[in-house]
Amino acid sequence: MIRVAVIGARGYVGAELLGLLDSHPQVEILAASSRAHAGKSVATVIDGFSNTTLNFTALEPKAVADLKLDVCFLALPNGLATNFVAAIDAASATTTIIDLSADYRFDDSWVYGQPERQRGLVTGAKRIANPGCYATGAQLGLAPIVAQLAEPPAIFGISGYSGAGTTPSRNNDSKILKNNIIPYKLTDHIHEREVSRTLAQQVRFSPHVASFFRGIQLTISGKLKQPMTATELENQFQNYYQNSPLVNISTAAPEVRDAAGKHSLQIGGFTVSEQEPGHFVLVVTLDNLLKGAATQALQNMNLALSLEYKLNEFDGINYD
Ligand SMILES: NC(=O)c1ccc[n+]([C@@H]2O[C@H](COP(=O)([O-])OP(=O)(O)OC[C@H]3O[C@@H](n4cnc5c(N)ncnc54)[C@H](OP(=O)(O)O)[C@@H]3O)[C@@H](O)[C@H]2O)c1
């Protein structure tokens, strides 16, 4: 069995990851670290969690390192990973660290773990920076056509408020979100930098948050050097992702409800302008907590350790 721990296990991402790891047949969860939940049974907090003997504990970096884990998942707010990484580095060269924050996404000594694009690099990697949620959608929505872009594309994003984490803020305040959409960080968002870096193509990204809980919709608008029809565009995406089971291409534009609660990311709604040659628009949806975080971390673990395990779609979320 692969011995794992989740640090930051109370958070939206950590809790989602614990649930997925609990279902993984080759994984044993040694620890779920949270200060607020310390002492509570994980099964009383996470619906359907099968291990009734595992309790949350508040672990300091040294205690995490002493566990000599096979895989340590860090699901902490940005800026907190370093002490855990340093303690693990000092104690064991064999632990694989998968960091879900942005702390190592710009560090060339870590592998940027985007499984559909970096499969070869992730296999066997020991230090993996999991991509951001919006960044996952934006780069997968642009990767097949990035070489054909004539200018920086514009990405209009709307996220459910779970994207803002559990710490109270304006972006997850239900009173402010009611009947509302909040624009924020309209230039220089960290995911704009992340996508521009990983695609080697400047992009323009304007994020918004709305009152639904989970899911992201990205409407991507750009200009191609050579005009294409919508069908040619769709076919190019179909070909690019033919061996990527967690990316679905559709003719219709996907909506948030099509991706929320699912492991896979949807791309569709390919449209080209009749007035302006080369102008195209497409739509990407994904679940920020799954493909945008926990699912992708699990894909990265499976690849890093060469585990054969297929993720099944969830059917548990009912929106009606
Ligand atoms: N939410 C998303 O959609 C999403 C998607 C992709 C990536 N991410 C990234 O994933 C990470 C976690 O996000 P989240 O939304 O799950 O955040 P969150 O809901 O705010 O959870 C943060 C977690 O970190 C723990 N924590 C907070 N401060 C800590 C400290 N000083 N020392 C130790 N533990 C601390 C919290 O537990 P205790 O306070 O109980 O210890 C909690 O478990 C972030 O870096 C975020 O950017 C988030």
Side-chain angles (χ1 to χ4, degrees), residues 8 10-13 34-36 75-78 100-101 162-163 165-166 288 292:
R10 174 184 62 84
Y12 288 138
V13 167
S34 156
R35 299 159 309 162
L76 298 164
N78 290 337
L100 288 102
S101 80
S162 62
T166 53
N288 53 306

Side-chain angles (χ1 to χ4, degrees), residues 31-270:
S33 179
S34 156
R35 299 159 309 162
H37 282 347
K40 273 191 203 164
S41 156
V42 175
T44 61
V45 173
I46 297 179
D47 277 351
F49 196 81
S50 73
N51 181 344
T52 50
T53 59
L54 184 71
N55 285 352
F56 289 101
T57 42
L59 296 177
E60 293 297 323
K62 169 127 185 9
V64 175
D66 288 344
L67 291 172
K68 302 271 190 291
L69 299 162
D70 294 312
V71 182
C72 182
F73 294 93
L74 300 176
L76 298 164
N78 290 337
L80 296 180
T82 324
N83 289 344
F84 289 92
V85 172
I88 292 169
D89 277 346
S92 162
T94 60
T95 302
T96 297
I97 304 177
I98 301 180
D99 180 29
L100 288 102
S101 80
D103 291 1
Y104 292 95
R105 291 185 200 146
F106 299 88
D107 184 330
D108 286 334
S109 66
W110 283 55
V111 168
Y112 182 79
Q114 207 300 298
E116 281 74 23
R117 300 188 61 235
Q118 313 283 11
R119 195 180 174 83
L121 290 177
V122 178
T123 306
K126 292 282 182 203
R127 298 289 175 265
I128 300 169
N130 219 56
C133 47
Y134 284 122
T136 297
Q139 67 191 280
L140 293 182
L142 284 166
I145 46 167
V146 70
Q148 293 151 260
L149 294 173
E151 56 192 42
I155 303 157
F156 176 88
I158 303 188
S159 173
Y161 66 88
S162 62
T166 53
T167 304
S169 72
R170 195 170 188 276
N171 283 1
N172 57 21
D173 183 324
S174 58
K175 287 201 190 81
I176 298 173
L177 285 167
K178 192 173 177 195
N179 299 326
N180 201 10
I181 294 180
I182 305 172
Y184 67 102
K185 197 68 186 151
L186 293 172
T187 59
D188 305 319
H189 190 286
I190 192 163
H191 290 190
E192 181 178 278
R193 266 208 293 140
E194 186 179 330
V195 176
S196 300
R197 182 178 197 260
T198 55
L199 290 178
Q201 163 67 55
Q202 183 65 51
V203 301
R204 312 262 186 247
F205 172 51
S206 24
H208 300 70
V209 60
S211 60
F212 54 90
F213 178 66
R214 59 196 300 153
I216 283 178
Q217 177 148 339
L218 298 166
T219 301
I220 301 180
S221 171
K223 181 148 184 160
L224 298 169
K225 290 174 199 159
Q226 297 296 330
M228 291 171 84
T229 66
T231 306
E232 286 169 339
L233 208 50
E234 182 178 335
N235 288 343
Q236 188 164 324
F237 275 72
Q238 287 282 12
N239 289 337
Y240 188 92
Y241 288 118
Q242 58 185 319
N243 298 317
S244 299
L246 294 190
V247 180
N248 295 333
I249 309 301
S250 61
T251 303
E255 298 176 7
V256 167
R257 289 159 60 113
D258 299 327
K262 297 211 173 87
H263 289 301
S264 55
L265 172 144
Q266 333 281 323
I267 308 175
F270 301 92

